Amino acid sequence: MPTIVIKDYTWRQCSEFVILNVPLRGHPKKVDLFVIDNYAKVSFPPYILELFLWGNIVEDKSKCTLTEEDAILTLRKTNIDIEWPTLEVQNIDKDFKRDCRNQALESAHKLAEERAKFKREKRQRLQKEAVKEQINVNTTILNKIDAIRDAHRKEAMRDFEDWRSKAELPILSNVKGEVQENRKTYEPPLKWFNDEDDKLKSRPMTDEEIFDTYVSTKKHEIKENENEKMEDDKKIVQVQSESENEENNVKTELSEKKNCFFYNTDSSSEDSESDCKDRSGCKKKESNEKQYEEKQKGRPGMEAVKAAINGNFLRRNNIFDVPSKSVPLPRKMGTINVTFSDRKFPTPARESSRVEEEEWLRKQKEAREKIGFDAADLRPEERDPQWLKDKGDEFFKVANYLAAISAYSYGIKISEKMSSLYVNRSAAHYALGNYCRCIEDCSKALELMEPKCESNRESRARCHARRGAALCKLSAPQHGIPELEAALELTPNNESIKRDVLAAKQYFDIKD
């Protein structure tokens, strides 16, 4: 957008100020104002006003008032009571204007740095004062807290001293106590086992020792059972003696009654009563013996213990005695078939992204459709290098260079020693602008065309010419032009190569 210089401004002056009225056209939303020393600039695109003032002004004491139609600049003069003959300096050139602008920018930059430095220092000073004030406030608060704490501590100590001075004396102050021994003094633990027992524990027990310990434990159990039986017998005897005492007491009472009341009884009755009592005692004894026998029979392992004591060991049926039952049968062998779904990517499904893979396959399919040649669609009889060369030539003639490169490349995979495939693929790469690939194919073709003979002279000339042209396209004429000249030596009558050599020398300004 072109800039328009404002010329219809007005100005007037007094002893202290210079008043400048600048019309604002188009009702601009933003007006840029830059005033410093003897330079003033007002801009609101596409309008601009640039003034090189006659005298210097004071920026801090100047002001600007914006209205809808005008911008009123009130500029304070540096030298008061001096009238300006003109607003601008007359008869100035471009160099003066440029120097004035640079000087104004430098002074503005210095002034901005000074202001920023002043603000930074002021901010730091205020921060330091604020920190000092906060420290003073915290100190006064802590001093108050310490004073209150000391006052409470002193009051508590004063109360404690008063209580201790007024406390009553102990009642038994003259009685002296006797020192007694401490009943809960430390006593070392009892040593339940000897060193020999510890040594025995450290080694494994033999079969004889195991049998001896087993027999001793069973004997101890039998003794305990016999002691229990003897205690039961004592209880039975005690019960019998008590019953006899009761009978005797009854007899004495009856005899007394007889003597008192002349009560006569037959001797047969007394005999019957004594017999009954004897029978009841026998019955009780028999019942106790039966209970003891049942109790002994109910205890497990008694038969084995008795047999072991007598030297006879009982043999019981054990599952490990039968080899067919002790050793489990081997498991039947089988085959586990694991099948995986077909994947076109080497990574497993759990580590890949299905969406990205499908998108990549779709793009590859579109690229193959765009090329028009897919090696997967070839029949077995079409997988021949010569057939692929002819197919690539057909694609090259119709300017389908990508398909031609694919056909030539697949033919090279089948036969790497066929130089014509490299020569034709270099032409396709040159047509697409792949100059580096073109140079590689030309070099490979020249290596394969050995020995050099008349039948491959034209092919070698084409390779040199195409490699030289590709090098010139890559801005390497020092290598490309010699290649073109080598091709011209092989075919001196080729007009196209002559034109290419002349054009390359003219383009790169190379003189013979």
Side-chain angles (χ1 to χ4, degrees):
M1 182 182 292
T3 57
I4 302 172
V5 180
I6 300 172
K7 295 184 179 180
D8 55 346
Y9 61 88
T10 59
W11 73 284
R12 56 190 177 87
Q13 64 176 331
C14 61
S15 60
E16 294 182 2
F17 297 97
V18 174
I19 297 97
L20 184 65
N21 293 332
V22 181
L24 301 177
R25 296 185 179 87
H27 301 286
K29 295 182 180 180
K30 184 179 180 182
V31 179
D32 294 329
L33 179 64
F34 180 66
V35 178
I36 191 169
D37 295 339
N38 61 342
Y39 180 78
K41 181 180 178 182
V42 181
S43 64
F44 48 96
Y47 298 97
I48 188 171
L49 174 62
E50 189 177 29
L51 299 174
F52 300 92
L53 303 176
W54 185 85
N56 294 334
I57 61 172
V58 181
E59 181 187 0
D60 297 337
K61 297 182 179 180
S62 302
K63 62 181 180 178
C64 176
T65 304
L66 296 177
T67 62
E68 294 181 356
E69 296 179 355
D70 296 331
I72 303 170
L73 278 71
T74 305
L75 307 177
R76 173 70 180 272
K77 295 179 181 179
T78 304
N79 298 321
I80 304 172
D81 297 333
I82 296 177
E83 291 187 0
W84 292 2
T86 57
L87 182 62
E88 290 186 278
V89 181
Q90 301 298 323
N91 300 325
I92 57 177
D93 54 357
K94 293 181 179 180
D95 295 336
F96 179 80
K97 290 181 179 180
R98 184 175 62 254
D99 296 338
C100 190
R101 290 192 195 98
N102 295 334
Q103 187 178 0
L105 290 173
E106 289 178 0
S107 59
H109 184 66
K110 289 180 181 179
L111 185 61
E113 287 182 352
E114 290 177 357
R115 289 178 179 175
K117 184 178 179 181
F118 177 74
K119 288 182 179 179
R120 186 167 56 253
E121 292 176 354
K122 185 178 179 181
R123 190 184 301 110
Q124 292 177 358
R125 187 176 65 258
L126 292 175
Q127 288 178 356
K128 289 180 181 178
E129 292 178 357
V131 170
K132 289 180 181 179
E133 189 65 25
Q134 186 65 37
I135 290 170
N136 294 331
V137 171
N138 293 336
T139 305
T140 53
I141 292 170
L142 292 174
N143 292 334
K144 289 181 180 179
I145 293 170
D146 292 337
I148 293 169
R149 189 186 294 113
D150 293 338
H152 286 295
R153 188 184 298 110
K154 290 178 180 179
E155 186 177 357
M157 291 300 294
R158 193 182 305 111
D159 294 340
F160 178 71
E161 292 294 335
D162 294 340
W163 171 82
R164 191 169 64 176
S165 62
K166 295 178 182 179
E168 294 181 357
L169 296 173
I171 298 171
L172 303 174
S173 59
N174 298 323
V175 178
K176 294 182 180 179
E178 296 179 357
V179 179
Q180 296 181 356
E181 294 182 357
N182 189 4
R183 299 177 184 176
K184 295 182 180 180
T185 55
Y186 174 76
E187 295 180 0
L190 296 175
K191 191 171 183 181
W192 295 95
F193 302 100
N194 297 326
D195 296 335
E196 296 179 356
D197 296 337
D198 295 335
K199 292 179 182 178
L200 291 173
K201 285 182 180 180
S202 60
R203 62 176 181 82
M205 297 176 68
T206 60
D207 296 338
E208 295 178 356
E209 291 175 353
I210 292 169
F211 178 75
D212 294 337
T213 53
Y214 179 76
V215 171
S216 62
T217 52
K218 291 301 179 182
K219 286 182 178 179
H220 184 67
E221 290 179 357
I222 291 168
K223 287 181 180 180
E224 289 181 353
N225 294 330
E226 290 177 354
N227 293 329
E228 290 178 357
K229 185 177 179 182
M230 291 173 66
E231 289 178 357
D232 294 336
D233 294 338
K234 288 180 181 179
K235 288 181 181 179
I236 292 167
V237 172
Q238 186 176 1
V239 170
Q240 289 178 357
S241 61
E242 289 178 355
S243 62
E244 290 177 355
N245 292 328
E246 289 179 356
E247 289 178 359
N248 294 325
N249 293 329
V250 171
K251 286 180 180 180
T252 53
E253 290 177 358
L254 290 172
S255 61
E256 289 176 357
K257 286 181 180 180
K258 286 179 182 179
N259 295 324
C260 296
F261 299 100
F262 303 99
Y263 182 75
N264 293 323
T265 57
D266 296 332
S267 61
S268 61
S269 62
E270 293 178 359
D271 296 336
S272 62
E273 287 177 0
S274 61
D275 294 336
C276 290
K277 290 177 182 179
D278 294 336
R279 289 173 185 173
S280 62
C282 293
K283 287 181 180 179
K284 287 181 181 179
K285 188 175 181 180
E286 290 177 358
S287 62
N288 291 329
E289 290 178 355
K290 287 181 180 180
Q291 289 178 0
Y292 177 74
E293 290 177 357
E294 291 177 356
K295 185 177 180 182
Q296 292 295 330
K297 288 180 180 180
R299 297 184 68 178
M302 288 301 298
E303 295 178 359
V305 172
K306 291 178 180 179
I309 293 169
N310 297 325
N312 299 324
F313 295 96
L314 294 178
R315 185 176 181 82
R316 296 185 179 182
N317 295 328
N318 197 345
I319 189 172
F320 297 103
D321 295 337
V322 183
S324 61
K325 293 182 180 180
S326 61
V327 180
L329 297 174
R331 288 180 286 183
K332 296 180 180 180
M333 63 181 296
T335 305
I336 299 174
N337 296 322
V338 180
T339 57
F340 299 96
S341 58
D342 296 334
R343 284 181 56 76
K344 297 182 180 180
F345 294 88
T347 56
R350 64 179 178 274
E351 297 179 3
S352 61
S353 179
R354 187 176 183 84
V355 178
E356 295 176 357
E357 291 176 359
E358 291 178 353
E359 184 179 359
W360 186 84
L361 292 173
R362 179 176 56 77
K363 289 181 179 179
Q364 293 296 317
K365 184 179 179 183
E366 291 176 357
R368 287 195 300 271
E369 291 176 354
K370 185 178 180 180
I371 291 171
F373 176 82
D374 189 5
D377 298 335
L378 296 177
R379 295 188 297 273
E381 61 271 12
E382 293 175 349
R383 300 178 185 275
D384 181 64
Q386 188 61 39
W387 185 89
L388 292 168
K389 176 184 173 298
D390 297 338
K391 190 68 175 177
D393 294 341
E394 292 178 3
F395 286 128
F396 188 84
K397 289 177 182 179
V398 296
N400 191 354
Y401 303 115
L402 292 175
I405 291 171
S406 299
Y408 295 140
S409 300
Y410 194 71
I412 289 169
K413 287 182 180 179
I414 297 172
S415 177
E416 297 180 353
K417 303 298 182 181
M418 194 170 178
S419 60
S420 58
L421 292 171
Y422 290 99
V423 175
N424 295 354
R425 192 172 72 171
S426 66
H429 279 306
Y430 186 85
L432 289 175
N434 301 331
Y435 301 118
C436 293
R437 297 288 180 85
C438 176
I439 293 168
E440 291 176 0
D441 287 341
C442 290
S443 302
K444 185 67 176 177
L446 289 171
E447 290 177 3
L448 293 174
M449 284 187 285
E450 293 288 344
K452 298 176 182 179
C453 56
E454 186 65 25
S455 61
N456 59 16
R457 182 167 58 84
E458 292 185 0
S459 297
R460 287 187 285 116
R462 283 198 297 271
C463 286
H464 282 292
R466 194 170 294 128
R467 187 165 65 176
L471 288 169
C472 291
K473 290 287 186 180
L474 293 173
S475 300
Q478 68 275 15
H479 303 291
I481 292 173
E483 290 290 331
L484 293 171
E485 291 176 349
L488 187 60
E489 289 178 2
L490 291 172
T491 55
N493 298 325
N494 195 330
E495 298 295 332
S496 63
I497 296 176
K498 289 180 182 180
R499 288 194 298 270
D500 291 342
V501 173
L502 184 61
K505 288 181 178 181
Q506 289 178 356
Y507 182 79
F508 290 105
D509 194 12
I510 296 174
K511 296 180 180 180
D512 296 336

